[in-house]
Amino acid sequence: MDSISNSDENYELGYQPSPSSVDQSLFTETTSYSTMSGDSFAYCRTNSEASAFSEHTDDNSYSDVASPHCWQGLKSPARAALSRLGMRQHKHGMDEEIMDLELELMKERFSKLLLGEDMSGSGKGVMTSRPRSDIYINLPALRKLDAMLLGILDSFQETEFWYAEQGSMSGNSTRSGSFRRIVQPQSQRKDEKWWLPVPCVSPDGLSEKCKKHLRQKRDCAYQIHKAAMAINSGILAEMQIPESYMASLPKSGKASVGDTIYRYMYNAEKFSPDHQLDSLNISSEHEALELADKVEASMYTWRRKMCMAHSKSSWDMVKDLMSDIDRNDKNHILAERAETLLFCLKQRYPELSQTTLDTSKIQYNKASFPPKLQDVGQAVLESYSRVLEGLAFNIVAWIEDLLFVDKTMKNQE
């Protein structure tokens, strides 16, 4: 009985005696006791059930492992190795899932940061997603302008005019049996934009109702164009000036604009940008864009000299510097007049392409924080406003062409 009690203690501790240490009768008795006892867990199946899972042995030996269910009660090296292998595989799969989750979380945080969520660092955070101020103000305005432009285009369903390819037109053209002479539109004079179709009207011209509708839509599109251009200019002004553009600035503003413009800008007591532009006799958009690049480069050259005179070389301090500079400073006066001349030039040529500085800002658009990353918000606003600006300008030009053709047809009669 002492041997039996010792055997029970050994079974409870997970130790199994070898067949040589006990006789067959004692082994049989112990096995039946372990099977019936609720405290024992070494053998949980009968011999017939365990034989299916245990390895084959000779007649004089007995398998120590009855079934996989019994591994939980054993502390053998094989069990430990299998446990470590399973845990390692499970851990490897969990590591991949955790890395994927962390990557998605990082992408979400960076997208919120670039698109304008509250990143002030105050610790309060955001209760709802709130765009930053420039996106919060400009994006709804651009959507409204977009809807208005689409409304203008949708209003031209049944029209009294049509379009024909310019290359296929001869001295006359017919549509529904009506005769029409070809009249070169106003915006296509001097063979500019020859690839655009030519507007056509009937010999009697447009009705008063149609002309009134065209004028209303032209005025509306013109206001949309001004609004989109103002938003685009404001966004470009807020973009950081790239280092590459600052490195390419000339050392002298006079060398950039030339002697003629410089003398007038420097010597005139009352500077008139319109008089300056009239005296230059600009004949093409290419010349206007070239002049805009020169004037803009000279403006920033003079502002850089003004910053260096005040021992401030950072471009981020230019706005702060404007409040406490000497208004009689030579560089300040020239920079202010160059800015006025550039503004007047863009007003006179609203279809002017983007200057070198504007294209450089768009190409190298970077956020102030985090550094070296693109400011997605500014990029979206700039491109959106630029597309609306171009569409609004084209609508105005198309309506002007129609009114010009109608007026010319009546004069020919």
Side-chain angles (χ1 to χ4, degrees), residues 7-192:
S7 177
D8 290 340
E9 293 179 355
N10 293 333
Y11 275 114
E12 290 179 358
L13 294 175
Y15 170 76
Q16 296 181 2
S18 61
S20 60
S21 62
V22 294
D23 55 3
Q24 187 68 25
S25 60
L26 182 61
F27 181 79
T28 305
E29 183 180 358
T30 306
T31 305
S32 60
Y33 176 78
S34 302
T35 305
M36 298 301 294
S37 175
D39 298 333
S40 176
F41 51 84
Y43 288 93
C44 53
R45 293 177 181 270
T46 62
N47 292 336
S48 59
E49 292 175 337
S51 62
F53 297 96
S54 61
E55 297 180 354
H56 295 284
T57 59
D58 55 10
D59 297 334
N60 297 324
S61 64
Y62 194 84
S63 175
D64 291 340
V65 182
S67 68
H69 294 278
C70 303
W71 292 351
Q72 298 178 358
L74 302 179
K75 296 185 181 295
S76 62
R79 167 62 182 160
L82 290 174
S83 300
R84 287 195 297 268
L85 178 60
M87 291 178 62
R88 186 180 298 111
Q89 292 177 349
H90 182 64
K91 182 179 180 181
H92 180 68
M94 291 184 63
D95 289 343
E96 291 182 351
E97 295 180 359
I98 292 174
M99 290 179 63
D100 293 339
L101 292 176
E102 290 180 351
L103 181 60
E104 294 298 327
L105 181 62
M106 182 180 68
K107 290 181 179 179
E108 182 182 359
R109 289 179 177 177
F110 270 104
S111 64
K112 290 180 179 180
L113 175 63
L114 294 177
L115 292 176
E117 269 206 6
D118 182 16
M119 295 295 173
S120 59
S122 61
K124 298 180 180 179
V126 183
M127 304 312 286
T128 56
S129 297
R130 180 169 178 245
R132 66 192 193 201
S133 59
D134 57 344
I135 300 178
Y136 185 75
I137 295 174
N138 292 321
L139 188 57
L142 291 174
R143 287 177 176 173
K144 181 65 175 179
L145 297 178
D146 192 358
M148 294 173 66
L149 286 176
L150 293 177
I152 292 176
L153 294 176
D154 292 338
S155 64
F156 297 104
Q157 297 292 336
E158 298 180 0
T159 60
E160 300 177 6
F161 55 89
W162 66 98
Y163 288 87
E165 294 296 332
Q166 187 173 2
S168 62
M169 300 296 293
S170 58
N172 54 59
S173 177
T174 59
R175 184 201 186 200
S176 303
S178 60
F179 174 78
R180 175 225 177 240
R181 294 180 181 179
I182 298 179
V183 179
Q184 191 70 10
Q186 186 177 10
S187 64
Q188 298 177 4
R189 290 177 295 183
K190 299 180 181 180
D191 296 331
E192 294 180 358

Side-chain angles (χ1 to χ4, degrees), residues 244-377:
S244 58
Y245 179 83
M246 293 191 292
S248 65
L249 289 177
K251 295 182 179 180
S252 172
K254 178 181 178 180
S256 179
V257 296
D259 294 337
T260 303
I261 300 178
Y262 177 79
R263 283 197 301 266
Y264 181 76
M265 293 176 64
Y266 182 71
N267 296 326
E269 295 182 0
K270 293 184 179 180
F271 177 72
S272 175
D274 291 322
H275 182 269
Q276 178 77 74
L277 293 177
D278 293 337
S279 63
L280 296 176
N281 296 323
I282 302 174
S283 59
S284 65
E285 181 180 343
H286 178 72
E287 293 182 0
L289 182 59
E290 185 178 2
L291 177 61
D293 284 333
K294 293 180 179 180
V295 173
E296 194 166 43
S298 63
M299 177 181 67
Y300 282 99
T301 300
W302 287 319
R303 286 183 177 176
R304 180 175 62 181
K305 289 185 177 180
M306 185 172 55
C307 293
M308 294 175 62
H310 290 75
S311 300
K312 293 183 179 181
S313 58
S314 176
W315 284 98
D316 296 333
M317 299 181 181
V318 172
K319 294 182 179 180
D320 298 334
L321 181 64
M322 298 302 291
S323 59
D324 57 355
I325 60 174
D326 185 7
R327 298 292 177 177
N328 296 324
D329 183 77
K330 169 187 172 182
N331 294 317
H332 170 69
I333 295 175
L334 291 174
E336 289 291 322
R337 291 183 176 182
E339 184 178 8
T340 306
L341 180 61
L342 180 63
F343 178 79
C344 184
L345 182 63
K346 290 183 178 181
Q347 290 291 325
R348 185 172 293 193
Y349 298 93
E351 71 280 5
L352 195 66
S353 302
Q354 291 175 331
T355 61
T356 303
L357 176 59
D358 293 340
T359 56
S360 180
K361 285 183 175 181
I362 295 172
Q363 181 180 1
Y364 301 102
N365 174 30
K366 301 297 181 183
S368 57
F369 181 80
K372 298 183 179 181
L373 292 178
Q374 185 185 28
D375 194 322
V376 181

Side-chain angles (χ1 to χ4, degrees), residues 379-394:
V380 170
L381 293 178
E382 192 282 326
S383 58
Y384 196 4
S385 59
R386 176 156 39 93
V387 170
L388 296 182
E389 178 185 342
L391 180 57
F393 176 82
N394 288 332

